[in-house]
Amino acid sequence: MLKPFSIRKQVKMWYAQGPQHSEWAKKVVCSRPLAFGNTQKCGMLNGFSLRFFGVISIQFPFQFKKTNMITNNHLNRFIPPRILRHDPNFDYCPLDGDIPLLQFINTFSKRGTLQAKNYLTTYDDLLTWSYEVRLIEEDTYNILELESRCYVKEAASMVNRAILLRSNLFLLVDCLMHDEPVGDGVIEELNEANDDANKHVSYAITPYGLMEGWRNPQEELAFPLWLLTKSALKFLTSPMVKYIKKCHCGHLYLDTTNGRNRRYCNPITCGKVRRSKKFLEKLVLG
């Protein structure tokens, strides 16, 4: 008869005895009586926590794999694939923010500090960022890259438009987060950007019904800005705006956890640095 607190220890011993024990049916008995309405955690079986009322005896076939019980699969979304550069010291643009709107705003890092940095300085930066956040496909990326080399002045003007759009979106998001009034100039400029994108929207009948599309998107250098404008305004008019939070590093991110208790824009990088600093402070202060 096993006590609840010794189940995990006993299970590890069974597994250590050899793979032949993985097919055995082991009896799990919660022998500790419980008060009515209380629950007792009785162990981890195949990754699930079992709770029982009273004295219960259940027979399980244990099948263990030589893997960690706790995995980091839920953190994979914080490690997006990047386009490799020839320069190993290349300063990659941060992709923190969870959605294209916030990721676009975060391309201006450490806003309001002396370490502020703009990661969108050329059209190639804008194009690469659009592809890395999956705003455009690879074929579109290749065509627009070629177009930008043929029309250098037009590509440079797209960078200025992108910076202006990013500034207006940041002001709008910041006002919505703090329940402050939004300036008329910001709304007017966003409406102009939306009107420009709508001029290139077309509709066609497909086997799936009426579908919305774009007119010759691969030939337009402003195509990434159109996609960004439409997706950003669609999100900002939804109830999801209330889930936007600001990290201590200044980046914006979307907190969709159940308890709204997410603290970092990226727990792998930003969160690790923050936790390390707190640990060192505790050591210094004793």
Side-chain angles (χ1 to χ4, degrees), residues 56-91:
I56 301 177
S57 176
I58 297 181
Q59 191 171 3
F60 291 93
F62 283 86
Q63 293 181 356
F64 292 96
K65 296 181 180 179
K66 200 169 183 179
T67 58
N68 294 329
M69 299 291 274
I70 300 177
T71 63
N72 289 329
N73 291 334
H74 65 290
L75 298 178
N76 289 341
R77 63 191 180 95
F78 295 107
I79 314 176
R82 307 302 300 254
I83 297 179
L84 298 179
R85 306 298 207 284
H86 297 292
D87 183 8
N89 298 322
F90 184 83
D91 189 9

Side-chain angles (χ1 to χ4, degrees), residues 101-267:
L101 165 63
L102 303 182
Q103 291 171 324
F104 182 60
I105 294 175
N106 292 338
T107 56
F108 190 76
S109 182
K110 298 182 180 179
R111 190 185 302 268
T113 65
L114 296 177
Q115 294 80 25
K117 181 173 182 179
N118 175 29
Y119 285 92
L120 299 181
T121 57
T122 63
Y123 185 80
D124 184 59
D125 294 337
L126 174 64
L127 201 60
T128 303
W129 173 87
S130 301
Y131 175 67
E132 288 184 327
V133 299
R134 298 298 181 262
L135 201 62
I136 59 175
E137 301 294 335
E138 185 176 3
D139 294 339
T140 305
Y141 170 81
N142 294 330
I143 295 174
L144 290 179
E145 184 182 24
L146 179 61
E147 290 287 328
S148 66
R149 302 186 186 280
C150 297
Y151 303 95
V152 179
K153 293 184 179 180
E154 289 79 357
S157 66
M158 291 302 149
V159 178
N160 296 330
R161 289 177 55 180
I163 293 175
L164 178 62
L165 177 62
R166 181 181 62 187
S167 177
N168 291 326
L169 289 175
F170 169 74
L171 292 175
L172 178 58
V173 170
D174 187 64
C175 291
L176 293 176
M177 289 178 60
H178 299 91
D179 295 327
E180 297 177 355
V182 184
D184 295 336
V186 174
I187 300 300
E188 291 178 1
E189 291 177 354
L190 288 176
N191 282 329
E192 291 179 1
N194 185 52
D195 292 340
D196 182 56
N198 289 332
K199 291 178 183 178
H200 303 273
V201 174
S202 62
Y203 294 88
I205 292 294
T206 67
Y208 303 98
L210 185 65
M211 301 292 291
E212 185 183 74
W214 299 90
R215 298 192 187 99
N216 301 324
Q218 286 95 353
E219 301 177 2
E220 298 288 347
L221 295 176
F223 182 53
L225 297 181
W226 299 339
L227 290 172
L228 185 61
T229 301
K230 297 296 291 184
S231 64
L233 294 179
K234 182 178 180 180
F235 175 82
L236 292 174
T237 54
S238 70
M240 295 294 291
V241 177
K242 62 183 179 180
Y243 296 113
I244 298 178
K245 295 176 70 174
K246 188 175 183 179
C247 184
H248 71 93
C249 67
H251 285 173
L252 301 177
Y253 64 95
L254 199 63
D255 184 8
T256 56
T257 57
N258 293 332
R260 299 288 305 279
N261 54 2
R262 180 177 162 188
R263 301 172 57 188
Y264 307 105
C265 59
N266 191 327

Side-chain angles (χ1 to χ4, degrees), residues 2-15:
L2 301 176
K3 294 185 179 181
F5 60 82
S6 64
I7 288 179
R8 183 176 298 179
K9 187 175 181 181
Q10 183 67 36
V11 165
K12 290 182 178 179
M13 186 183 68
W14 288 333
Y15 179 60

